[in-house]
Amino acid sequence: MRTSPTLLLAALALTDGAVIPRQTPTTTDYDAIVVGGGPAGLAALSGLARVRRNVLLIDSGVYRNAPTRHMHDVLGFDGVTPAYFRHAARQQLSHYETVSMVNGTVTKITPGDSQNTFFTITTTLTPSYQQSNITARKVVLATGLRDILPSTPGVLENWGKGIFWCPWCDGHEHADQALGLLGPLTDAPGAVREMVTLNSNVIALVNGTDTPAARAETEKKFRGWQKYLELHKVRVDNRTIKAIVRVREGISGTEDPSLPSVAEDDWFRVEFTEGAPVERAAFLASFPSEQTSFVGRDAGVQLLGGRLQADPAQGLATNVPGVYAIGDANSDNVTNVPHALFSGKRTAVYLHVRLAREDGDKELNGTVARRDMDLEARSLWDAVNGQPGDILYAGRFDGF
């Protein structure tokens, strides 16, 4: 079996004492380019700004949480709109002279040589729509996910505004209300368990998925699920949903913006292809998701369960040397803003160390032993990482 040059070089790079000839051009435009301007991308930019790396963030302006009314569970920003959070983050980052931010869509990532010592990033800038080729030594993918919503009338129109998928993000604002579960039968018992401290009046609207095969599969996922639903008085409605109609808007616009959480008083009518409608105040949905951008996949990053495969022991590096994946898009399967911030900082620290190692190799025209590199990385991690309890504290150093 033939081994690709890229995989061979990646293996050599992890070998103690290996020396790889460098073919990096005299200068690249940036040390790193961050693709995506959500919380993960902004956190990566912040981490690299703090050590004066020359970094560009390219933001497409497409965000998974854009439809939601307010962002929650982010200390210091609990209850703000997602747009305000991004605005505040950008405003703070603008004070760092070594980082830049532009709006645009990355369409291609091309290795600059056979050893991935640099990359050419092809970008369509907005609002000019001019195509630009920019070079960087490393690439951070913070491209996010998009939710795949059904075509049922009313779902898209009300997504993030009474119909939500994350109990921690939006459940508290709809506590003690009449809740509907949207999704297949197999996901219903787990959803009830997640919401058990928030809602007691629950109907599982499984939209025709309650079949003998689905019941058997649900039992495999959640043993005793039928008894569990009975104990919590959860009714399963298997009728086909025709439409979800908004009856009442959940906010008035006069709510106190200084409060982290304000109850939202939405009301909806669920219409079916047969029988009487059902009325609910909010819905917890279980819909699939996919990559917002496939630029990472097209660059050779492997997908694991539809996510960009990233190694947490290597600072969330992908199988493509020099490319990292952070936030919702990567394969750690954790999708919330605090974790996105953590992942961005984690990669920033590892990426900075990797660049310093490469520069040291070049200066010495030799190599750095792995043991020495681990000691250097540990020292830098401790210096940059802060203390437990800090909002961006990324945990103990666990090596490369």
Side-chain angles (χ1 to χ4, degrees), residues 36-38 57-64 66 86 90 102-105 126 292:
L57 181 143
I58 303 173
D59 186 359
S60 69
V62 177
Y63 314 104
R64 187 183 189 185
R86 294 190 301 271
R90 278 181 169 240
V102 298
N103 294 326
T105 301
T126 52
T292 298

Side-chain angles (χ1 to χ4, degrees), residues 21-194:
R22 301 297 183 189
Q23 299 177 2
T24 308
T26 304
T27 59
T28 55
D29 297 318
Y30 296 95
D31 289 328
I33 285 179
V34 179
V35 185
L42 291 166
L45 190 67
S46 177
L48 293 166
R50 292 292 300 168
V51 288
R52 296 203 295 189
R53 285 294 178 185
N54 182 27
V55 186
L56 173 68
L57 181 143
I58 303 173
D59 186 359
S60 69
V62 177
Y63 314 104
R64 187 183 189 185
N65 68 351
T68 195
R69 289 168 175 151
H70 301 101
M71 227 172 62
H72 293 287
D73 205 16
V74 183
L75 294 178
F77 286 95
D78 197 2
V80 306
T81 65
Y84 178 79
F85 174 82
R86 294 190 301 271
H87 162 75
R90 278 181 169 240
Q91 194 171 47
Q92 291 180 348
L93 287 165
S94 68
H95 291 279
Y96 292 92
E97 296 180 355
T98 63
V99 299
S100 304
M101 295 167 277
V102 298
N103 294 326
T105 301
V106 173
T107 56
K108 190 175 183 181
I109 299 170
T110 308
D113 57 25
S114 62
Q115 298 170 20
N116 286 23
T117 57
F118 74 101
F119 298 85
T120 297
I121 293 85
T122 303
T123 304
T124 302
L125 300 174
T126 52
S128 66
Y129 296 102
Q130 292 182 339
Q131 184 168 292
S132 176
N133 289 319
I134 311 165
T135 58
R137 293 170 64 184
K138 307 294 179 188
V139 178
V140 180
L141 298 172
T143 44
L145 296 176
R146 69 160 61 94
D147 295 293
I148 304 174
L149 303 181
S151 59
T152 306
V155 173
L156 176 61
E157 295 85 345
N158 297 296
W159 186 244
K161 301 172 181 63
I163 305 178
F164 57 94
W165 64 271
C166 172
W168 288 267
C169 306
D170 298 286
H172 192 273
E173 287 63 48
H174 296 282
D176 301 318
Q177 297 180 0
L179 183 72
L181 304 179
L182 298 175
L185 177 70
T186 50
D187 291 345
V192 173
R193 183 169 53 193
E194 287 187 348

